[in-house]
Amino acid sequence: QVQLVESGGGSVQPGGSLKLSCSTSTIIVNPYTMAWYRQAPGKQRELVASVRWSGDSTYADDVKGRFTASRGNTKNALYLDMNSLKPEDTAVYYCNAESESAANRFDFWGRGTQVTVSS
């Protein structure tokens, strides 16, 4: 079982920045997508950004231009640079790793890291 460990959450004022990191406990060599999800109190978990093995990335509309997701050189780490943070970005942010291969399916989740944007 692969573990995902998130770090970098915290409290920041509106307009501030944070950088989240996610690392895997073991090296995965099969192609897989890594993604950030978030869940605010009383709301469903939603996709924030994803980065495929190829490097292609997608973003939720409300974070485009403010957040940047990237993977480390070994592709076994995921980062999220969050700028111009808003109170509505407050949530628990979860890291996800999902296989891109039907021959080797997996779907791992981290425990989450809290991000609070408040004045």
Side-chain angles (χ1 to χ4, degrees):
Q1 181 80 3
V2 175
Q3 293 183 336
L4 304 181
V5 180
E6 303 105 332
S7 62
S11 296
V12 65
Q13 293 186 340
S17 300
L18 283 174
K19 181 173 183 175
L20 304 183
S21 300
C22 171
S23 60
T24 62
S25 59
T26 59
I27 295 175
I28 304 172
V29 297
N30 302 99
Y32 66 103
T33 295
M34 294 191 81
W36 289 103
Y37 286 77
R38 67 185 179 187
Q39 187 167 18
K43 295 187 177 181
Q44 290 188 334
R45 190 172 297 189
E46 62 178 3
L47 177 66
V48 176
S50 65
V51 184
R52 293 182 61 84
W53 188 259
S54 64
D56 291 341
S57 58
T58 59
Y59 296 90
D61 287 342
D62 59 349
V63 306
K64 286 180 180 177
R66 300 189 298 122
F67 292 9
T68 302
S70 60
R71 294 177 73 158
N73 291 334
T74 64
K75 300 188 179 182
N76 283 277
L78 179 68
Y79 306 98
L80 186 67
D81 286 291
M82 304 185 293
N83 298 305
S84 302
L85 283 161
K86 304 175 181 180
E88 49 264 44
D89 294 318
T90 296
V92 178
Y93 284 69
Y94 297 90
C95 181
N96 171 259
E98 183 176 6
S99 171
E100 295 179 11
S101 170
N104 182 27
R105 301 298 302 173
F106 59 81
D107 187 9
F108 301 126
W109 289 89
R111 292 187 174 184
T113 184
Q114 177 71 46
V115 171
T116 301
V117 184
S118 174
S119 55

